[in-house]
Amino acid sequence: MASALSDFQPQPAPQATAAAQAAIGDGLVAEAQAFADELAAWRHDLHQMPELGNNLPQTSAYIQARLDEMDIPHTTLVDGSCVVGLIGAGAAAQGNGTCKDEQAGTVVMLRGDMDALPVVEESGEPFASTNGCMHACGHDMHATALLGAARLLKAREAELVEANATVKLLFQPGEETFEGARAAIADGLLENPRPQAAFAMHVNSQSPLGLVLYGSPALSGVYGFRITLQGKGGHGSSPEICIDPITAGIHVHLALQELISREVPAAKEVALTVGKFAGGLAANVIPDTCVLEGTLRGFDVELMAHLKTRIAEVVNGVATTYRTPATIETLSDVPPLVLDSDMTQASLGYVGAVLPKTAFLPLFHAMASEDFALISSKIPSAYFTVGAAVTDTDEHFAQHHPKARFNDAELPLGAAAYTAVALGYIADHR
């Protein structure tokens, strides 16, 4: 990735306002680096307890314990697996379980996701996980950097109270499954108090430290689906008295690919992948069912809606032809990650103020997906990807790879960046 990026010239960050620069100061990085060893220890602890989806009991308990040590009030959502802390004017009301908007003043939310992947780790790290799951996407880095920001912001709580401002800390589950943000919002994440803006970052295992990518729309929307075809099983020697769902599944798969080649304009960015095809357990047995699971990704909301309709029409048409009734289930449905231009430009200035040697490239546009889009569709938001490649090797594995590794040196930088965005935004919106 570094060689591909070398052809592009970094862009200077917009200048933060004088008020924001004064609020951010020039000592955040040094302050965070003073407890870099503790940040690394927290990250290693989290790395060794990877949990999946919206079920993060150990991870949630660990985050809550660290917030308790910092005397930061917090509540939980999503059956205890989502942790929400408050620092500043709204923190005193947190003890009652709710914090009204008028008690919190200006509110900015910082988000760090913290779920892992069902990947057996092969990183070779001394703190590698051993439970069959892995933080192969770096969410342990996000959660740790946000804990670091929590410490930095707690030290400035008196200033936040004086400014009548609150920082809302979101430690989110279920990003990999696109379930966490939706569940947290349903549980009241954006209320008590309601943030006026939100900010998130994502580490990149193949980009060097000091590189920030941004853009909008940054990531594609995703529609995940499961298709179940109901046939009539029997002995493989007598297919004429059976209804073979595998044959129907093959034709469904081919028909879905033809949607892209024949019904999507060549200039549109759309990808349709069937990543799971399951049917049958024995070579001489025709099964009763065949199951296909896949994802549709794209940036054009209207085209995505049209294709979702066409998927249903094509599947049911093929299924009827092959006498295999079809059931279509929605596994995920997340819009593209569209970000607010003003919040993005301001956040670039805040991060540039605290990390002046950072290189910024407006190249963040990828077919991956992110459920932070459910937050950014409701409140003005910014989202950056930040370099976190290790420096002791020339081989950098992509995220989700079992050998992916991340650089602990990014943790104090990330903590300072989170903090700068919060302080800068509050200074500009007093």
Side-chain angles (χ1 to χ4, degrees):
M1 186 172 185
S3 60
L5 294 173
S6 63
D7 296 332
F8 297 92
Q9 290 298 318
Q11 303 295 311
Q15 189 76 16
T17 66
Q21 289 182 330
I24 293 167
D26 57 7
L28 280 176
V29 173
E31 190 175 340
Q33 287 177 333
F35 59 92
D37 289 345
E38 191 166 8
L39 286 170
W42 291 344
R43 184 248 165 160
H44 297 176
D45 288 344
L46 289 170
H47 194 86
Q48 293 179 84
M49 60 175 77
E51 297 173 296
L52 305 180
N54 277 354
N55 185 29
L56 312 183
Q58 286 183 283
T59 306
S60 174
Y62 188 90
I63 296 295
Q64 291 182 68
R66 303 290 79 74
L67 294 178
D68 285 340
E69 290 169 357
M70 300 178 205
D71 195 26
I72 295 174
H74 54 84
T75 57
T76 61
L77 308 173
V78 194
D79 296 324
S81 288
C82 179
V83 183
V84 180
L86 292 181
I87 303 174
Q94 184 72 69
N96 298 324
T98 62
C99 174
K100 297 179 180 179
D101 293 349
E102 60 268 22
Q103 296 172 302
T106 301
V107 183
V108 59
M109 184 166 72
L110 306 177
R111 180 268 213 165
D113 43 7
M114 54 184 189
D115 57 320
L117 288 157
V119 172
V120 177
E121 182 159 0
E122 300 175 11
S123 69
E125 296 283 22
F127 51 88
S129 64
T130 58
N131 69 353
C133 299
M134 178 187 175
H135 273 293
C137 203
H139 293 185
D140 54 331
M141 300 283 291
H142 305 164
T144 301
L146 188 54
L147 281 174
R151 174 176 287 189
L152 295 172
L153 288 163
K154 183 65 178 180
R156 292 158 174 79
E157 188 162 41
E159 301 167 24
L160 297 176
V161 172
E162 183 181 356
N164 190 29
T166 301
V167 180
K168 196 167 192 174
L169 308 169
L170 167 59
F171 296 88
Q172 184 203 302
E175 188 283 321
E176 296 292 355
T177 56
F178 307 119
E179 301 171 313
R182 192 184 306 277
I185 291 170
D187 279 358
L189 170 66
L190 300 183
E191 309 302 330
N192 301 319
R194 181 175 180 82
Q196 284 98 53
F199 176 75
M201 295 186 294
H202 202 299
V203 292
N204 188 309
S205 60
Q206 295 181 297
S207 295
L209 288 175
L211 178 63
V212 170
L213 303 184
Y214 66 97
S216 184
L219 297 171
S220 71
V222 59
Y223 166 61
F225 55 87
R226 177 187 293 123
I227 301 165
T228 302
L229 300 166
Q230 182 64 52
K232 180 182 177 183
H235 200 286
S237 65
S238 304
E240 73 280 2
I241 63 172
C242 303
I243 300 175
D244 189 347
I246 293 179
T247 297
I250 291 169
H251 286 276
V252 164
H253 180 272
L254 292 173
L256 292 180
Q257 298 309 310
E258 289 171 358
L259 279 178
I260 305 302
S261 65
R262 295 279 73 95
E263 298 190 22
V264 175
K268 292 291 185 180
E269 299 169 290
V270 177
L272 194 159
T273 297
V274 174
K276 179 178 179 179
F277 191 114
L281 295 173
N284 63 343
V285 178
I286 293 173
D288 282 326
T289 61
C290 179
V291 177
L292 296 81
E293 293 183 7
T295 61
L296 171 72
R297 297 173 191 263
F299 294 94
D300 187 318
V301 175
E302 291 184 2
L303 179 58
M304 289 281 286
H306 169 72
L307 288 173
K308 284 188 277 187
T309 299
R310 288 293 290 137
I311 287 172
E313 291 173 349
V314 167
V315 169
N316 286 314
V318 173
T320 297
T321 299
Y322 289 91
R323 301 177 296 154
T324 54
T327 301
I328 304 174
E329 303 169 69
T330 298
L331 303 180
S332 58
D333 196 357
V334 174
L337 181 57
V338 178
L339 301 163
D340 183 80
S341 178
D342 290 342
M343 182 61 182
T344 297
Q345 290 300 305
S347 297
L348 288 169
Y350 305 146
V351 175
V354 75
L355 302 174
K357 296 182 180 180
T358 295
F360 296 92
L361 286 175
L363 301 177
F364 190 23
H365 182 77
M367 294 299 290
S369 302
E370 159 68 87
D371 76 348
F372 187 70
L374 294 166
I375 293 172
S376 73
S377 67
K378 295 182 181 297
I379 58 176
S381 301
Y383 184 104
F384 301 156
T385 181
V386 297
V390 295
T391 58
D392 60 352
T393 178
D394 292 330
E395 189 172 29
H396 296 128
F397 294 92
Q399 278 134 239
H400 291 217
H401 192 284
K403 293 183 180 180
R405 297 172 61 207
F406 299 89
N407 196 333
D408 285 340
E410 192 279 332
L411 297 172
L413 305 181
Y418 269 128
T419 305
V421 170
L423 295 177
Y425 180 88
I426 289 166
D428 284 340
H429 293 82
R430 294 185 64 170

